[in-house]
Amino acid sequence: MRKSARIVPLTHHASAPLSLSPHRNENDSHVTSDWGTALTPRLAHFVAVARHEHVTRAAHELGVPQSTLSRAVTRLEDDLGVALFARRGRTVSLTPAGRTFLASAERALAAVEQAAESVRADADPATGKVAFGFLHTLGWETVPGLIRAFRAEHPRVRFALVQTYGDAMLERLRTGELDLCLTSPVPDPDDPDLVARRLDEQRLSLVVPDDHPLAARKRIRLAEAADEPFVSLERGYGMRRILESMCAEAGFRPRIAFEGEEAETIRGLVAAGLGVALLPPPAMPRPGVRELTVTAPRAVREIGLAWARGHPDTAPVASFKRFVLGRRGHLLK
């Protein structure tokens, strides 16, 4: 827990920078635990008075009573322990400390304004932003086609795209870095942090080198590959979990000979004779391999749309979510 800090007057000279670090003095009864919390509400008041060098005109601009503005500026000076203005009636002028503080106050207010404009722009129904994650294996045709179709109706909506493996995407959903993601396997419906909807399923094949004894086959039971070395995606990838689950259902544990991070790389390793693999369909036919239909167990992976539970959607995110959910059963076609 942060300890409270007591504020004491600061000695300031024109040649020295104004320090805003909280100081503690047991003889001072005024306590401020956080400079940002204490000062931020009064920065706009200070800047307005500094710009006009007149309390009445500044109060008129801000739409507040002159007495309220005067008290706010006086309280700010008391908190800092520094005189920011030299007063001559209702006319004021900045002290050297005031000029130093003004430069930082204007930058702080500009940063707040920029942040507000940024989040408002991201939430704009017509021009807002969607942070969207998807699997590497969906990046060749599925996702580009999905976004192209959506932007036909919403041409100015922007996308921040993240292409990665399943576990990493789900973690980014939980932390708020992503609004939505296409992933597989579909997250557990009992997950307290995530909501997911099944959209489609994709056939998986056993991929073997074209000179492999099994290459002449068109169909195979997965159990027939129990003694083969497997080339697989690394742990954390959804396809790795699916492989291990399907092999367990077929009655064996796969012997992993090589691991990779991308499905087409895995196909290349299979073509080189390093093992067999369980993979979704290729983006385009790959020479050097054969794709065998797995008859048992049922070899498919479910593709779903996931988002953070309880996370409010901006207008563009809500529109894209409705659009993607409307493609249920047709996502991969």
Side-chain angles (χ1 to χ4, degrees):
M1 180 180 296
R2 174 182 294 161
K3 295 181 179 179
S4 61
R6 301 180 187 276
I7 310 304
V8 299
L10 305 178
T11 302
H12 176 75
H13 299 284
S15 59
L18 177 64
S19 171
L20 294 185
S21 299
H23 290 256
R24 180 178 181 131
N25 189 316
E26 296 299 334
N27 296 321
D28 195 326
S29 61
H30 185 72
V31 177
T32 299
S33 61
D34 185 282
W35 278 114
T37 301
L39 301 184
T40 299
R42 294 189 289 277
L43 290 184
H45 295 156
F46 164 72
V47 170
V49 174
R51 183 167 58 249
H52 288 284
E53 294 191 334
H54 197 282
V55 176
T56 301
R57 288 195 291 268
H60 179 74
E61 176 190 288
L62 295 174
V64 300
Q66 178 181 321
S67 59
T68 298
L69 184 58
S70 295
R71 286 195 299 271
V73 172
T74 299
R75 176 67 185 276
L76 175 61
E77 291 178 311
D78 289 344
D79 284 346
L80 292 172
V82 176
L84 300 175
F85 294 104
R87 292 163 173 79
R88 294 181 295 277
R90 293 179 180 175
T91 301
V92 296
S93 61
L94 287 167
T95 64
R99 285 193 297 272
T100 299
F101 189 67
L102 176 63
S104 295
E106 288 177 326
R107 286 195 297 271
L109 291 174
V112 171
E113 180 71 19
Q114 183 178 7
E117 288 299 321
S118 177
V119 297
R120 285 171 59 85
D122 286 349
D124 186 276
T127 63
K129 184 177 72 173
V130 180
F132 183 47
F134 55 96
L135 300 170
H136 289 284
T137 49
L138 299 177
W140 181 260
E141 291 181 328
T142 301
V143 169
L146 195 64
I147 293 177
R148 181 172 60 249
F150 177 76
R151 282 172 57 86
E153 300 177 8
H154 305 82
R156 294 195 294 162
V157 168
R158 296 168 290 127
F159 282 85
L161 300 177
V162 175
Q163 186 177 20
T164 186
Y165 62 97
D167 284 1
M169 280 195 300
L170 298 184
E171 182 59 28
R172 292 190 184 199
L173 281 183
R174 290 185 173 95
T175 61
E177 294 177 62
L178 289 177
D179 298 310
L180 303 165
C181 77
L182 283 179
T183 189
S184 178
V186 179
D188 190 312
D190 295 327
D191 190 309
D193 301 322
L194 302 175
V195 179
R197 296 290 182 269
R198 180 187 178 279
L199 294 176
D200 217 332
E201 63 179 30
Q202 189 174 43
R203 176 183 56 83
L204 303 176
S205 300
L206 185 71
V207 184
V208 303
D210 61 5
D211 59 355
H212 193 281
L214 294 173
R217 303 272 297 273
K218 291 185 177 180
R219 296 175 176 81
I220 189 171
R221 291 179 295 108
L222 189 58
E224 295 179 73
D227 295 330
E228 298 290 337
F230 275 79
V231 185
S232 171
L233 293 170
E234 296 176 350
R235 293 191 181 277
Y237 285 74
M239 275 304 307
R240 176 63 171 265
R241 293 200 299 276
I242 292 170
L243 169 66
E244 292 175 346
S245 175
M246 287 186 59
C247 288
E249 189 175 349
F252 71 97
R253 176 180 294 180
R255 178 165 55 92
I256 306 300
F258 294 92
E259 295 178 322
E261 297 181 350
E262 205 276 325
E264 292 311 305
T265 299
I266 299 299
R267 270 192 174 81
L269 296 175
V270 171
L274 301 181
V276 301
L278 188 71
L279 292 172
M284 59 181 61
R286 175 69 185 247
V289 300
R290 294 287 186 270
E291 311 267 338
L292 310 184
T293 299
V294 178
T295 58
R298 186 168 182 265
V300 297
R301 68 168 179 170
E302 292 187 336
I303 308 295
L305 182 70
W307 59 91
R309 191 181 298 276
H311 189 279
D313 292 335
T314 62
V317 170
S319 294
F320 187 61
K321 180 190 289 185
R322 287 193 300 270
F323 176 81
V324 176
L325 292 175
R327 311 278 286 203
R328 183 180 287 115
H330 305 283
L331 179 72
L332 303 175
K333 294 178 174 58

